[in-house]
């Protein structure tokens, strides 16, 4: 009788010397992949840190507020924070939390959600006069010559400085509330337009605006 069992070829069976080599190759690939992931993670962290370093936060006001509930009064903190990169972007945020740090953190996040793009001139001023109103607060912002500085007070000064404006005149007309004044300044800055944008909206040339 003939033996019908399949015969294994000696060349198909990996030798003992080949198994460690293959295992070492896989380990080296895994190490390389791990290094690449680490490098990618580090680069991502650096980019996030650079983005965060561009923004500056200033706390305008921290107040202790209360809310009447069924069992009595619930105390918390309210923080008014201004966020800006001094390159034409600024925002005002409000945060409430049980502790001051949490309220400031929420205020920063809220300010970054409500950013306003401010057109700046080559002298770091605003192109035209602007008025802003929020509630009972009214703010007048006027461009100034180089070397004038930021002539403003309270929360309006904080908003203008973090927006990157170096020469400007501002006057508070009405309420003295810091939050309303900051928001009124944001309304005034958001309504600013460059001469080129104004000419395009009116459908006239830039020379006709200057004449």
């Amino acid at each position: 009788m003939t033996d019908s069992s399949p015969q294994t070829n000696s060349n198909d069976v990996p030798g003992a010397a080949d198994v460690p080599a293959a295992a070492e190759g896989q380990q080296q690939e895994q190490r390389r992949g791990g290094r690449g992931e680490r490098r990618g993670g580090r680069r991502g962290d650096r980019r996030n840190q650079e983005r965060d370093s561009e923004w500056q936060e200033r706390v305008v006001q921290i107040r202790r507020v209360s809310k009447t509930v069924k069992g009595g009064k619930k105390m918390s903190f309210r923080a008014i924070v201004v966020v800006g990169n001094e390159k034409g972007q600024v925002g005002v945020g409000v945060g409430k939390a049980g502790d001051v740090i949490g309220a400031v953190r929420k205020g920063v996040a809220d300010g970054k959600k409500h950013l306003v793009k401010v057109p700046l001139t080559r002298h770091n001023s605003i192109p035209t006069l602007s008025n802003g109103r929020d509630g009972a607060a009214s703010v007048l912002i006027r461009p100034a010559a180089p070397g004038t500085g930021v002539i403003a007070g309270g929360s309006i000064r904080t908003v203008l400085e973090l927006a990157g404006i170096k020469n400007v005149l501002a006057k508070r007309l009405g309420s003295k509330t810091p939050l309303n004044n900051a928001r009124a300044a944001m309304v005034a800055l958001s309504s600013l337009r460059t001469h080129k944008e104004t000419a395009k909206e009116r459908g006239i040339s830039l020379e006709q605006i200057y004449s």
Side-chain angles (χ1 to χ4, degrees), residues 56-74:
Q56 296 185 12
E57 304 96 13
R58 292 189 188 177
V59 179
V60 175
Q61 186 186 57
I62 296 178
R63 294 189 64 179
R64 190 177 181 186
V65 296
S66 62
K67 179 181 179 180
T68 304
V69 293
K70 184 176 180 181
K73 290 186 177 181
K74 183 180 179 181

Side-chain angles (χ1 to χ4, degrees), residues 2 6 10 14 18 23 26 39 44 53-54 65 68-69 75 87 92 121 126 129 137 154 159 163 171 178 198 210:
T2 59
S10 61
D18 298 334
Q26 293 179 359
R39 291 175 183 174
S53 63
E54 293 179 357
V65 296
T68 304
V69 293
M75 306 302 295
K87 295 180 182 179
V92 177
T121 63
I126 57 177
L129 182 143
V159 173
K171 180 63 179 176
T198 304
Y210 287 115

Side-chain angles (χ1 to χ4, degrees), residues 32-109:
R32 292 174 183 174
R35 291 176 183 174
E37 293 177 357
R38 292 175 185 174
R39 291 175 183 174
R42 291 175 183 175
R43 290 174 184 173
D45 295 339
R46 289 177 182 176
R47 290 176 184 174
N48 294 331
Q49 289 177 1
E50 290 177 357
R51 291 175 184 174
D52 295 338
S53 63
E54 293 179 357
W55 298 96
Q56 296 185 12
E57 304 96 13
R58 292 189 188 177
V59 179
V60 175
Q61 186 186 57
I62 296 178
R63 294 189 64 179
R64 190 177 181 186
V65 296
S66 62
K67 179 181 179 180
T68 304
V69 293
K70 184 176 180 181
K73 290 186 177 181
K74 183 180 179 181
M75 306 302 295
S76 61
F77 293 92
R78 187 193 71 172
I80 304 173
V81 185
V82 180
V83 184
N85 60 354
E86 295 186 353
K87 295 180 182 179
Q89 285 186 315
V90 66
V92 177
V94 180
K96 291 182 181 180
D99 57 339
V100 177
I101 298 175
V104 172
R105 189 183 298 110
K106 289 183 179 180
V108 171

Side-chain angles (χ1 to χ4, degrees), residues 55-184:
W55 298 96
Q56 296 185 12
E57 304 96 13
R58 292 189 188 177
V59 179
V60 175
Q61 186 186 57
I62 296 178
R63 294 189 64 179
R64 190 177 181 186
V65 296
S66 62
K67 179 181 179 180
T68 304
V69 293
K70 184 176 180 181
K73 290 186 177 181
K74 183 180 179 181
M75 306 302 295
S76 61
F77 293 92
R78 187 193 71 172
I80 304 173
V81 185
V82 180
V83 184
N85 60 354
E86 295 186 353
K87 295 180 182 179
Q89 285 186 315
V90 66
V92 177
V94 180
K96 291 182 181 180
D99 57 339
V100 177
I101 298 175
V104 172
R105 189 183 298 110
K106 289 183 179 180
V108 171
D110 185 52
K112 290 184 179 180
K113 292 179 182 178
H114 302 88
L115 292 176
V116 170
K117 182 68 176 178
V118 183
L120 300 177
T121 63
R122 58 181 179 179
H123 299 298
N124 292 326
S125 184
I126 57 177
T128 58
L129 182 143
S130 180
N131 289 306
R133 188 176 184 85
D134 184 82
S138 179
V139 174
L140 172 66
I141 303 177
R142 185 188 297 269
T148 304
V150 180
I151 299 180
S155 58
I156 305 173
R157 183 183 185 91
T158 306
V159 173
L160 296 176
E161 287 179 349
L162 291 184
I165 303 174
K166 305 295 182 183
N167 302 293
V168 68
L169 302 171
K171 180 63 179 176
R172 178 182 62 193
L173 305 171
S175 175
K176 299 180 181 180
T177 308
L179 180 58
N180 287 350
N181 281 309
R183 287 178 173 173

